[in-house]
Each structure stands twice: as C-alpha cells, then as structure tokens.
Amino acid sequence: MAVMRKRFSSVCSSPSAEEDSLYDSVSISATDSTNEQEHPYASLLCCHRVQDSLLSSNSSFTRYRGILNWIIILLVLTHAHLFLENFIQYGFLIDVKKVLEHLIEDNCNWPSVNLLLAANMFAITALLLERSQEKGMLSPTNTHRLHLTNLGLLLLFPVAVILNEPTISTGGAFLSLWFYAALGMKLFSYQETNHWYRQARLTDAETDNNEHLTFKDLYYFLLAPTLCYQRDFPCTPKVRINKLLHRLLEMVIVIQIMVGIVQQWIEPIFQRSQNSFSSFDITMKVEHLVGLVAPTHFLWLLCFFLTHSYLNFCAELLCFGDRHFYGDWWNATTLISFWKNWNIPCQKWCHRHVYTQLVEKNVPPSQAELFVFLMSAAFCEMSVKLAKSWESVMSVWLLCPCIAVVCGSSLRWYLSSWLQYSLETTFRETTVMV
C-alpha cells in the first residue's frame, strides 16, 4: 500500500515540476500517461490542479456570449412587462386617424406640399448662377454673393411660411424644415464644389464645361442620398426590384411600430397631468423623465433603422453606389467618435465644407470641431422648436440613447482593455518562465 500511495502521489505531483506558472497549459508527458496506464484509478484520485477562476483577471477565458444572451433575455422580459403593464393600465390606444390629423392640413390647402414645391426655384436659381459664371456673364465674386443670398432666402423662406401659416400641420412643418435644411446643404456643396472644379481646372479647356451644369445632373444630386456634390457619382449596374420592395416594406413596418410606441407609451405619460412640466416638483419631473427613457430609446433606434431603409431605398432606386451612410456608432467610446459615425453624409459635409475650411483659415482643430458640433446642435434644436413638436423635454431625452451607447461602449472598452492587458502580462510571464 505504501508503494501504491507513492506511485499515486508521483502521478499527481509530476506536472508540478514543470508547471511553476499558474497559466501553463503543457500537455501531459509520456511518463504521466505511462503512470496512468499502470494505475487506472490515478485520474480519480487526482482531481485537482492549479488553475484560476474563469472571471478572474488572470484567466484567459473570453467566451462571454452566453452572458450576453442572458442579458438580452432579461431585457426582453423586462420591457415585455412594461408593455403589458401599460396595456392593462391604459388599454389599446393606437389610432391611425390621430396620425393623419398631424399630417393632413385643413381645407385641403396643403401648405407644406406647396412649400416643398416652392423649393424648386432655389435649386433652379443655383443652376442658373453656375451657368452664368461658366459663360463669363458673372464674376466669381458676384456669383458667390448671389449664391449666399439665395441660400439665405432658402433658409428664411420656410421659417416665415411656418410662423405665418396657422393651417400647416406639425408633421408637415417638421418635414418641410428638414427638407429645406438638406436642400440648403446640398446647394452649398453644389456651388462650392463647382468652384473647386474651376480652380483646379479639372476639365479640358476645349470641352464644354456646361455638360455637367444640367437639370438632370442637378436633380440627380438633389434626389441622391448624399449631401456632398461631385461629378460622376459611382453607380450600380441596375435597380434590384427585390431589394427595392424589401426596403419599402421595412419602412412601412417601422413607421407602424413608431406610431404604436408614441401613442401607446409616450402620450399617456404627458396626459397623466394637466399641468405643464415646469410646474412639477422634482420628484414628479424625475418620474416623468425616467418613464420616457425606454420609449424614446426604442423610438431613436427605430428612427435610425427607418433612415437606414429610406437611404438605401433611394440609393437603390437611383443606382447610387456609395451607401456608407453610417459607421459602427454602437462601438463608440467617446462622444466625438459617436457623432462621426452615426450620420456619415452629414459628417462628410461638415468635414468637407466647414471643418476643413476653418482649419485652412488657421482655426485650431479643437475649436473647429466644437464649432461644428454647436452648429449641428443649434440647428436640430431650432428645427424641433419651429415645428411646434412635443414638449421640449422630448428633444433632450432623444439624446439619452446616444449617451447610453457611449457610456456602455466606454465600459466595454475599459473591460476589454483590462482583459487584454491581463492576458498580455500573463503571456509575457509564461514566456519568461518557459
């Protein structure tokens, strides 16, 4: 028996001579396998070895997919409970007629539609100014001044109409403002890029420079899902009807879900009290704001997916090739990284026509970035205010998902960096010991 215990102890302790580190994964040696063959019960007697817990910093374990699935299940169950509680308390509140009341104007005057149609005169004016300069009828300085005047009138015209037209609906006013804002950015890029083409002399002097200054070229750019103009956009070979219908179906479904969230979840929060938000005490304000976190988060994500479907629908319809409309904003670790990735067309325009121009005028890059950020924030706030949309608190809480994404991504980045540092340290120590 003493000899047998000695043999079993040698089998159990044989790897320890080579495993001075906690993290070596050296395979069993030939002598160990020989001893196990001689003693078949050695594996039952020796059931412990030196090793770390999976969630400790020294562990090399990285497979956390199950924990992520577990968190997703908990989130789904939690929000399902909120939906069920809301339905039990308020009943079924979804009504499409209420949505149409916010979109359809009275007396069939359609002021928002007339406002959108009137935008053509600003686009045609920009094209005529470019043609006049190309033919030498206007000097570059006068053309630039007239372009700025045209853009100024373009921005003031919808504001004046909305403020002085009482029959315009909330949805029509909101869509009109965003349409005119995009049109203004497009026309600014149009005249600025044509100016760069003339400065760089990219076209041959013997060719007709007016071949790109056509209604077809202008309106293709105005309808394309981009804010930055260039000649000869990259295009796909043909329109894929199945993709087109798929994007259209996505837009219809997402809009229905958004309407349901607003009517079933958000409106009851504002209708619970007849007083204004400013008259609430601090506890009531916090309660209302916390109640808006989940629905506005879902609404923001659905708006992003609706934008994704709409831009891809337009790109497919026009055979527009560049469909990089957003980056991986969900992996953003800083607020700057988030703003650079969540809206690539707007980011390209700001970098091309604002940030770069400011830096060329010796403005520090940090101040140029701050100016671009404040400009976009002021524009978004002005659009919401002028459209007479929901209470101003909504515009603030629509940013909560952005902050949550950045904070969550920052935590994920910190944990991944910590795990990577631990693994690298472990690997170096193991290499030195070997």
Side-chain angles (χ1 to χ4, degrees):
M1 290 298 295
V3 175
M4 185 66 67
R5 282 196 299 269
K6 183 177 181 181
R7 290 180 178 178
F8 282 146
S9 62
S10 64
V11 170
C12 293
S13 60
S14 57
S16 62
E18 298 179 358
E19 292 185 355
D20 295 332
S21 175
L22 298 180
Y23 322 109
D24 287 337
S25 58
V26 182
S27 59
I28 301 175
S29 60
T31 56
D32 296 337
S33 60
T34 304
N35 289 333
E36 288 185 359
Q37 291 178 0
E38 294 177 357
H39 309 288
Y41 294 101
S43 60
L44 299 178
L45 297 176
C46 304
C47 59
H48 296 286
R49 61 185 179 89
V50 178
Q51 55 185 337
D52 291 305
S53 299
L54 294 182
L55 298 181
S56 64
S57 59
N58 295 326
S59 175
S60 60
F61 182 77
T62 57
R63 299 192 299 271
Y64 297 104
R65 180 66 185 180
I67 297 179
L68 178 61
N69 295 336
W70 181 27
I71 294 174
I72 292 175
I73 293 174
L74 290 177
L75 288 175
V76 171
L77 293 177
T78 302
H79 288 91
H81 173 263
L82 292 177
F83 276 110
L84 182 61
E85 183 180 5
N86 177 275
F87 182 77
I88 294 174
Q89 184 175 359
Y90 300 106
F92 188 76
L93 301 177
I94 300 176
D95 187 4
V96 181
K97 293 182 179 179
K98 291 183 179 180
V99 181
L100 297 178
E101 290 176 358
H102 290 281
L103 298 177
I104 299 177
E105 282 89 6
D106 297 333
N107 301 324
C108 296
N109 291 327
W110 301 97
S112 59
V113 176
N114 297 329
L115 188 60
L116 296 180
L117 293 176
N120 288 280
M121 62 181 182
F122 299 103
I124 295 173
T125 301
L127 176 61
L128 295 178
L129 289 175
E130 287 297 319
R131 284 184 173 181
S132 300
Q133 182 180 357
E134 201 67 41
K135 293 178 181 180
M137 300 172 60
L138 291 174
S139 63
T141 303
N142 291 332
T143 304
H144 183 66
R145 291 175 180 174
L146 291 174
H147 270 302
L148 293 181
T149 303
N150 184 45
L151 291 174
L153 293 175
L154 181 147
L155 295 177
L156 294 176
F157 178 70
V159 176
V161 172
I162 291 173
L163 294 179
N164 293 281
E165 181 59 51
T167 60
I168 192 169
S169 64
T170 303
F174 188 78
L175 294 177
S176 298
L177 284 173
W178 279 103
F179 175 82
Y180 270 84
L183 179 62
M185 297 172 72
K186 283 174 176 281
L187 292 182
F188 183 85
S189 179
Y190 183 73
Q191 63 91 18
E192 192 82 358
T193 306
N194 281 316
H195 175 67
W196 293 338
Y197 274 117
R198 281 189 289 267
Q199 281 188 332
R201 297 181 180 179
L202 295 179
T203 57
D204 191 359
E206 298 180 357
T207 60
D208 185 10
N209 294 333
N210 291 328
E211 62 177 338
H212 292 286
L213 300 177
T214 61
F215 286 98
K216 179 181 178 181
D217 181 75
L218 173 62
Y219 276 90
Y220 180 86
F221 166 58
L222 296 181
L223 296 175
T226 181
L227 297 174
C228 296
Y229 174 74
Q230 75 176 52
R231 296 176 182 177
D232 300 324
F233 287 103
C235 296
T236 55
K238 62 178 181 178
V239 178
R240 296 170 294 183
I241 302 299
N242 57 339
K243 294 291 183 181
L244 204 64
L245 296 177
H246 181 250
R247 298 304 178 191
L248 182 62
L249 181 62
E250 285 179 349
M251 288 189 290
V252 172
I253 295 176
V254 170
I255 290 175
Q256 296 297 324
I257 297 175
M258 292 174 63
V259 170
I261 290 178
V262 171
Q263 293 185 339
Q264 186 69 39
W265 203 342
I266 295 179
E267 284 189 0
I269 296 178
F270 290 100
Q271 294 175 354
R272 278 188 299 180
S273 177
Q274 300 296 329
N275 300 324
S276 62
F277 184 79
S278 59
S279 62
F280 291 164
D281 57 9
I282 186 64
T283 56
M284 288 296 296
K285 289 181 178 180
V286 172
E287 193 270 338
H288 275 66
L289 294 178
V290 172
L292 287 172
V293 171
T296 52
H297 201 134
F298 283 122
L299 200 62
W300 190 89
L301 292 176
L302 289 172
C303 285
F304 165 76
F305 190 77
L306 178 63
T307 305
H308 157 81
S309 300
Y310 171 75
L311 293 177
N312 279 278
F313 176 83
C314 294
E316 190 66 38
L317 185 63
L318 298 172
C319 296
F320 188 76
D322 186 6
R323 304 182 185 185
H324 184 52
F325 302 124
Y326 52 88
D328 57 337
W329 53 265
W330 46 86
N331 291 326
T333 57
T334 62
L335 189 60
I336 294 177
S337 177
F338 173 81
W339 284 108
K340 286 182 178 180
N341 286 283
W342 85 279
N343 191 342
I344 297 297
C346 185
Q347 191 273 336
K348 281 183 180 179
W349 189 92
C350 292
H351 184 271
R352 187 189 193 195
H353 298 288
V354 181
Y355 176 81
T356 304
Q357 304 301 317
L358 291 176
V359 172
E360 288 180 355
K361 295 180 180 180
N362 298 324
V363 176
S366 58
Q367 295 182 11
E369 288 183 354
L370 179 61
F371 176 80
V372 171
F373 175 78
L374 293 178
M375 181 186 68
S376 61
F379 167 74
C380 293
E381 185 66 22
M382 180 191 68
S383 300
V384 174
K385 291 292 185 180
L386 289 175
K388 299 173 289 185
S389 160
W390 298 324
E391 296 186 26
S392 59
V393 67
M394 282 293 299
S395 61
V396 177
W397 276 96
L398 284 175
L399 295 177
C400 289
C402 312
I403 301 173
V405 168
V406 173
C407 294
S409 301
S410 301
L411 180 60
R412 178 197 56 79
W413 174 82
Y414 173 77
L415 292 175
S416 61
S417 301
W418 173 65
L419 289 174
Q420 183 179 4
Y421 173 76
S422 301
L423 292 176
E424 290 178 353
T425 305
T426 300
F427 179 76
R428 285 197 298 268
E429 293 177 353
T430 304
T431 304
V432 171
M433 292 180 180
V434 172

